[in-house]
Amino acid sequence: TGLVGVGTATPVWLLNPASSTASQLALSAGGNLAQWAFRNAGGNLYLATTTVAGNATTTSALTILGSNGYIGIGTSTPTFKLDIVGDLRVSGTVTPLTLGSAASSETKIVMLGANSAQTRLYAFGTDGKSYLQHNGDLFIGGLNTTTVPRLYLQASTGNMGNTLTPTEKFHITSGKIYS
């Protein structure tokens, strides 16, 4: 049939390494070096390093759970679609990420994006849109600098108000202030 089984008398693939207790495949760059070991256990894929002697290390470098597709980096028990244990570094452009639903009446984070000029965090609630802007200014209730915000804090002057051009420390253009 052309099928080769290692550890099994009934291979179903061209190369079918099988073991219920050890890694089914290891990659090595030579003697006296640790290896990368691959293992399928219960339908889950584990990729980990080994010691020079070939013993598995205690932490899986990459885990993919077959039952739900969860991916773990630095953990063998991911509980999210992508579960990273340890520090994360991102280099380059960060594409905006959408979480939650803009149509929901609950306040949810909708978009988190970054570039060299600004970082914005968008949130939707029943009373409008809000965002924080990294360049120092804070807008609440305005979507950009052409929309009149409910509250605007101008970083360069420390002035705030319900206008894009607050001229005082607290500048209200309309409405009432209650004490």
Side-chain angles (χ1 to χ4, degrees), residues 24-171:
Q24 289 96 4
L25 182 64
L27 301 177
S28 176
N32 295 322
L33 296 172
Q35 300 104 40
W36 280 98
F38 297 81
R39 180 159 189 235
N40 174 357
N44 300 328
L45 173 66
Y46 298 93
L47 172 62
T49 57
T50 69
T51 64
V52 172
N55 301 318
T57 58
T58 57
T59 304
S60 176
L62 176 70
T63 302
I64 301 174
L65 299 183
S67 61
N68 53 25
Y70 287 5
I71 298 172
I73 299 175
T75 177
S76 59
T77 56
T79 56
F80 298 94
K81 285 292 183 188
L82 178 60
D83 197 341
I84 299 172
V85 174
D87 295 337
L88 173 67
R89 179 177 180 208
V90 177
S91 179
T93 301
V94 176
T95 302
L97 171 68
T98 300
L99 306 168
S101 169
S104 173
S105 62
E106 300 175 27
T107 300
K108 292 186 176 184
I109 295 174
V110 173
M111 186 170 136
L112 179 63
N115 61 35
S116 61
Q118 59 191 335
T119 299
R120 292 183 179 178
L121 171 65
Y122 291 84
F124 283 86
T126 55
D127 61 348
K129 301 170 188 157
S130 302
Y131 71 83
L132 304 175
Q133 190 167 345
H134 175 69
N135 68 3
D137 295 343
L138 170 66
F139 295 83
I140 298 178
L143 194 54
N144 56 42
T145 56
T146 62
T147 305
V148 177
R150 288 190 173 82
L151 180 65
Y152 171 56
L153 173 61
Q154 192 174 42
S156 61
T157 63
N159 295 343
M160 63 187 274
N162 65 345
T163 173
L164 288 174
T165 55
T167 57
E168 304 296 330
K169 292 300 174 195
F170 192 63
H171 184 156

Side-chain angles (χ1 to χ4, degrees), residues 11-23:
V12 293
W13 308 102
L14 290 176
L15 177 60
N16 197 166
S19 173
S20 61
T21 58
S23 297

